[in-house]
Amino acid sequence: MTDLLRIENLKFRWPKAKKALLYIEQFHLNKAEKVFLQGPSGSGKSTLLNLIGGVLSPESGHIRFQGENIFAKSEAERDQFRGDHMGFIFQSFNLLPYLNSIENVCLACDFSKLKTERVLSRSQNLEAEAKRLLEALKLNEEDIYKKVTDLSIGQRQRVATARALMGSPELIIADEPTSALDAQTRQHFLNLLFTECERFQISLIFVSHDPALGQYFDRSYNLSEINQEASVGLDL
Ligand code: ADP
Ligand code: MG
């Protein structure tokens, strides 16, 4: 199995916090692997995802992505790296309200020549690939051209997912994307996401506070199992 991501001795502390929030000695993710990460609110799940995305910097330690040390890069290089190699799905989706679904999905390519090239290597143009993804995620033809503010929560979430998948990044990071969905929609959504990830050998780190979802993943963890700081107890 090929390594995609490797975390080593990663320590993170928020400014002014008395103690570190995270200390992760070892964690790795293989190519095309799907990992589930669970933990109570405030345990540091989003913080860890932002470290992996290179949005935050650690006090010490490394994250290697395909062997490259993310934190050896400048801030601008990290932004570019994230845009090229990762796709994010947030709880609040972060879609642009005045654009339609296709336009929102195509945004993924605005900051990444690499994603654009990947799309154009197998699709006529960006719009055609955005449409294919939205249809694969079961959005109806008529909904594809609506402004995202005219879509349901479940539909918006699938638009956000299509945007993350656009250009087939090596890694998709999903931060509680299912918390607004009912159980049946949640299951259906996971199946669609898994199908697309498998098709393009995309790795997935999926965070939720709902432990019931863990069974569908290759590996499942509670953050406290990999975070050595967690045993000290939370600052509540
Ligand atoms: P989770 O995603 O597991 O709910 P977070 O990673 O969002 O947890 O937060 C973990 C801890 O870090 C919390 O105690 C929170 O208050 C703190 N925290 C989160 N964001 C910030 C920030 N921007 N500045 C300072 N502390 C923060
Ligand atoms: Mg969070």
Side-chain angles (χ1 to χ4, degrees), residues 14-15 21 39-48 175-176 207 223 235:
W14 284 107
L21 172 68
S41 179
S43 57
K45 305 183 297 299
S46 295
T47 304
L48 175 58
D175 195 356
E176 312 225 19
V207 158
L223 181 58
D235 260 348

